[in-house]
Amino acid sequence: MTGASGTVRRRAKRGWQQLPLSALRAGAMLALLSGGAVVGLPSFEARAQSETDIIQGIAVQGSQRIEPATVRTYVTVREGDPFDPARIDQSLKNLFGTGLFADVSITRGENNLLLIRVVENPIINRISLEGNDKIKDDDLNKEMQLRPRVVYTRSKVQQDVEKILELYRRKGRFAARVDPKVIELPQNRVDVVFEISEGSPTYVRTINFVGNEAFDDGDLLGVVLTREERWWRFLTSNDTYDPDRMNYDRELLRRHYVQNGYADFEVISAVAELAPNRENFYMTFTVKEGPRYRINNVDLEVNVKDLPREVLEDEIIPQQGDWFNGKAIEDTIDAITDAAGTAGYAFVDINPRVRRDEAKQTIDLTFQVQEGPRVFIERVDVKGNVRTLDRVIRREMLLVEGDAFNTARVRRSRERLENLGFFKEDTVKLENAPSDIYPDRTILTATVEEQPTGELSFGIGYSSASGALFDIGVRERNLLGKGQNLSANFSLAQQQMQVNLSFTEPYFLDRRLVAGFDIVASQVDYQSESGFTSNTYGGTARLGYAYNEYLFQRFNYQLFVTRLTGLTSFSSQFVREQAGSAVTSQVSQVIAYDRRNNIIEPTEGYYLTLSTDLAGLGGSERYVRGGVGGAFYIQPFEGWIFSASASGSYIVGLGQEVKIYQRQQLGGTSLRGFKDFGASPRDANTFDAVGGDWLATASFQLRVPGLPAESGLKTYLFNDWGVIGPPKDLKRRPGITILDSQKFRGSAGVGVEWTSPVGVITVDYAPFIFNAQPFDQKSRFRINFGQRY
């Protein structure tokens, strides 16, 4: 406003503490926010036109924390300047724009003095969040701008309100409300309280599909990640609305159709409508399927000098007559890139050329391999790691400064970082950007987001092998940020007690050597199986080396003392003879070749192992043992996973009989449908299992889809087979009769695995048992479960 006193003022209609926090109101502030010129300054304009008045001085009033000199730096006029209304108005805007002041006025005083009166915004003393149960304070504070000891402004409060609401929307709570409150304190300080009403989750009531003919609604509901609300989905949040998840669902639908031959598929629209009661969403996906294409012809064009065509031909996955599959094309590009890189050609560019014949609904596919730009790594940057040391991340990278840029190695480096388990899922990113200095260089940046790696676990549960159990353990998978693994565990069960301390250094001596040790003390009750209790204590030293990405070898040295107790006159004569303590000094090695796509839950690939053990370099036991094993996994149809595994082992005593606890045993986990040791050779007099010299097993399993993924239930069919050889040294002894059979035993049945709130529960039922011998002990039903929290 202006007046006879020559005052320019921008002030809220009422004091800051009385204003609603959602906005500032009318008056001069509207002119300020609109960016327009200040109007109605007749006294300044009249003086400027009729007089040559000059500013004689600038005085600041009302400042407490902020120095007057600081206020003057935002003013565009100085002593000796004329009273220019436009520049004074700009000064007013500058002062309000700092966010430091609740009110500002500029007045022309006596003797041509420019008076600047300010009312400072208060300082935040404390920020409180009330009513938030579903989102922790720390998670909310990370997204908020306001902090203690910073200047309070209404705009920041409103922005923080929107941030909080956005976080709740991502959690599916669109009915959430946030009411900010301000509490005045002495010395121009305030407390800010955000009162949060979280409201009920906003569920997805129905998901509709429009335009789909090749796949019905039920099929597509299994493709998208979002789920319709059902009472049994209390363990998942996928039935709440999330706009980011809906966008991901669009991509999942596209992938599904393109993998099944619909190369022209597109999602025309994805709409989520909120019910008037704000409790439910109704989602609708409108799709355009287009025709389904088959592969007519597949060709390969290699335009790289000296790169043999035959090196790449075997990597082509799509074949003539197959349905068009976008994923198969992407996998082929990756495979050709890897093969070319292995052959020494890092700079290749693979371009799949697709030619459609809509009339015949066929596609001709040509993979063009061309010379790519020659790009080298200028430097490798690491970002996002707070606790994990840089070298822990860099040693997993297959590219270093000076290397030729290779997309296959970049992809494999990302997989290696993800497999560490130190970083949140889907947060590891490897991005490259061109150098600012060299045109043929690139900067590779690894960005990660860390997650907690410490674990404190308690467990209670039951297993058919050990009975009721209690377990407590502590583990740190990234000790001191060095990537080391340290764990300690204590478990107590009806038939078993064990204490374990383990340490692993994945890069011993800064080389790709995995070194570690284990210290173990255990007591296992085998009374019901073989009539004794085993007490063992000792340790293992380990050293392993990876020859490449798939071939690994480990050497162990074990030193254990084992003592058999609990023997009675009813125990087997063979077992009674082994009463007392024995010392095992054993050197072992295992070499493994692993091409599984995931070591925890594989769906494709295979692995092979070869192991040998030698006891006798010290100690009292003398034997040699060898073993082989392997498995392969395929996914014949979406969601169907077939696996086949086999193993074999043979042990021979060196000048002495092999101890009972070292012999092979068949049954339980090695042959479902039989008790632990249930198919092993037995002493005819006591019926105790005495074990055998050799063992061979095979298992076939088919995981069957059908149950909702969010239920955590997995069903499978299994077929197990096993055979065990007799203990030859015992059979030669007089006075001992061994019941044994070298026939293959088998079983078949169904199993269910449930990842429940109390841990993983597995239930196996084997109604079909083949070739069981009269002395075998069967157990068709087997259950195991435990709890971790």
Side-chain angles (χ1 to χ4, degrees), residues 488-683:
N489 182 269
F490 170 75
S491 62
L492 177 65
Q494 287 179 294
Q495 294 181 256
Q496 179 175 331
M497 180 187 72
Q498 181 168 301
V499 180
N500 180 283
L501 176 66
S502 178
F503 174 79
T504 301
E505 167 56 68
Y507 275 77
F508 183 57
L509 300 177
D510 290 328
R511 299 177 180 271
R512 295 194 64 185
L513 297 173
V514 180
F517 66 84
D518 305 285
I519 300 175
V520 179
S522 68
Q523 181 183 79
V524 184
D525 184 353
Y526 294 113
Q527 292 291 339
S528 60
E529 293 88 359
S530 298
F532 70 94
T533 298
S534 171
N535 300 271
T536 303
Y537 59 90
T540 301
R542 298 175 271 109
L543 183 66
Y545 177 74
Y547 295 98
N548 53 43
E549 290 296 308
Y550 310 108
L551 185 62
F552 180 85
Q553 187 170 22
R554 184 180 69 236
F555 297 91
N556 297 341
Y557 173 71
Q558 297 177 325
L559 182 63
F560 284 96
V561 178
T562 303
R563 183 168 178 265
L564 301 188
T565 61
L567 302 174
T568 67
S569 57
F570 299 101
S571 300
S572 168
Q573 174 186 341
F574 166 66
V575 177
R576 293 199 307 271
E577 291 174 354
Q578 298 182 3
S581 300
V583 178
T584 303
S585 176
Q586 176 179 295
V587 178
S588 308
Q589 75 82 33
V590 58
I591 186 169
Y593 185 71
D594 194 342
R595 294 301 300 262
R596 290 174 293 179
N597 61 343
N598 188 296
I599 61 174
I600 299 175
E601 290 191 2
T603 59
E604 295 177 350
Y606 63 92
Y607 74 88
L608 299 170
T609 63
L610 173 65
S611 63
T612 53
D613 305 324
L614 174 64
L617 303 177
S620 58
E621 294 193 55
R622 305 283 189 275
Y623 61 82
V624 62
R625 175 167 47 208
V628 294
F632 76 90
Y633 305 82
I634 59 173
Q635 191 169 196
F637 310 103
E638 184 70 26
W640 297 71
I641 302 172
F642 175 77
S643 64
S645 61
S647 65
S649 182
Y650 193 95
I651 188 169
V652 177
L654 301 178
Q656 61 179 235
E657 292 180 350
V658 179
K659 301 290 186 181
I660 176 67
Y661 48 83
Q662 299 288 4
R663 290 191 181 277
Q664 316 287 351
Q665 302 288 355
L666 180 62
T669 56
S670 61
L671 184 62
R672 285 168 286 192
F674 293 79
K675 290 185 177 181
D676 291 321
F677 302 5
S680 296
R682 298 183 177 277
D683 186 329

Side-chain angles (χ1 to χ4, degrees), residues 1-2 9-14 19 24-39 89 92 96 103-104:
M1 66 181 69
T2 64
R9 181 183 298 273
R10 294 294 181 267
R11 176 178 293 183
K13 190 173 181 181
R14 292 177 292 176
L19 269 176
L24 292 171
R25 297 191 178 180
M29 198 60 193
L30 182 59
L32 172 62
L33 295 176
S34 66
V38 178
V39 297
D89 186 64
L92 196 65
F96 266 112
D103 188 25
V104 179

Side-chain angles (χ1 to χ4, degrees), residues 11 14 78-79 367 385 449 547 560:
R11 176 178 293 183
R14 292 177 292 176
R78 299 290 183 266
E79 294 181 13
F367 291 96
N385 56 314
E449 184 177 348
Y547 295 98
F560 284 96

Side-chain angles (χ1 to χ4, degrees), residues 337-349:
T337 302
D338 291 347
T342 302
Y345 297 84
F347 306 104
V348 294
D349 186 14

